[in-house]
Amino acid sequence: MSGSDHRATGHASLPGHVAIIMDGNGRWASTRGLPLLAGHRAGADAVQRTVRAAISRGVGWVTLYAFSSENWRRAPGEVADLTGLLRYYLRHKVAELSREGVCLRFIGDLARFPVDIQEEARRAETVTAANTRLVLVLALSYGGRADIVQAAIRLAQAVGRGERAATDIDEATFAGALLTAGMPDPDLVVRTSGECRLSNFLLWQSAYAELVFLDTPWPDFDETHFDTVLNIYSRRERRFGARPA
């Protein structure tokens, strides 16, 4: 179900779905005179803290922008470090997440990753499928524009095959063709490390999300920062295009 299907205006309380652009690993490492990989490892620790915070606060969905489609353009060494770190966590941390009641899902062009990572991702989804405390979505090789384009292609092909009429396509139909089909739209999108842009993340899905930008680099993000963004969200008035009361 799309989050837009159950909108209610007024002051928000607890977001059902928090999406996070995890930014600042490189700058965090640079300011400490550490190699870039150290920043990515510290960022992975921040992911674990965030998962625990979301569970304890009762947030049902967290989506993390773990690897964008543009990240493939980075230096080969950094891409290798990122994929190696992903491989390690898929192999060694999924069981721990499952014990904590986390259901793992992946969105993005996973076919660009090595075959073993694709297999580990599918295994992680299968192993954690029955868990209900938190749905953790990892956006890997994901781009919002590419997501919209592939949805348009899928619907155009369905029209071409005579399976649906073009005039029957509405927002709900289009949302159902996105990689996030079946997921609620994010209520809150957070970006760390002082940048104030979405960087091609969940562009369609974030149409009515509340946006919060923090100066804190991602490796320093902890439960206190998670509470901070929840408190900011709770003071926002969500109108979904309606006039204020």
Side-chain angles (χ1 to χ4, degrees), residues 4 7 171 186-187 204-210 238-242:
S4 62
R7 297 170 181 167
E171 290 187 13
D187 301 296
W204 172 282
Q205 300 86 342
S206 298
Y208 287 101
E210 296 298 318
R238 305 192 72 193
R239 297 195 295 268
F240 302 102

Side-chain angles (χ1 to χ4, degrees), residues 23 95 189 196 213 220 225 236:
D23 193 17
V189 175
C196 300
F213 301 102
D220 288 335
H225 296 102
R236 299 279 179 88

Side-chain angles (χ1 to χ4, degrees), residues 79-132:
V79 171
D81 285 344
L82 286 167
T83 54
L85 195 60
L86 173 61
R87 179 182 289 110
Y88 172 83
Y89 274 86
L90 286 173
R91 289 179 177 175
H92 299 286
K93 297 295 183 179
V94 170
E96 178 182 335
L97 289 170
S98 189
R99 286 193 297 270
E100 293 177 357
V102 176
C103 173
L104 270 169
R105 291 180 58 173
F106 299 87
I107 57 173
D109 185 10
L110 291 181
R112 296 191 67 177
F113 287 97
V115 172
D116 67 311
I117 288 180
Q118 298 176 46
E119 293 173 347
E120 291 290 348
R122 287 192 291 268
R123 183 187 67 82
E125 288 185 322
T126 299
V127 168
T128 64
N131 296 333
T132 58

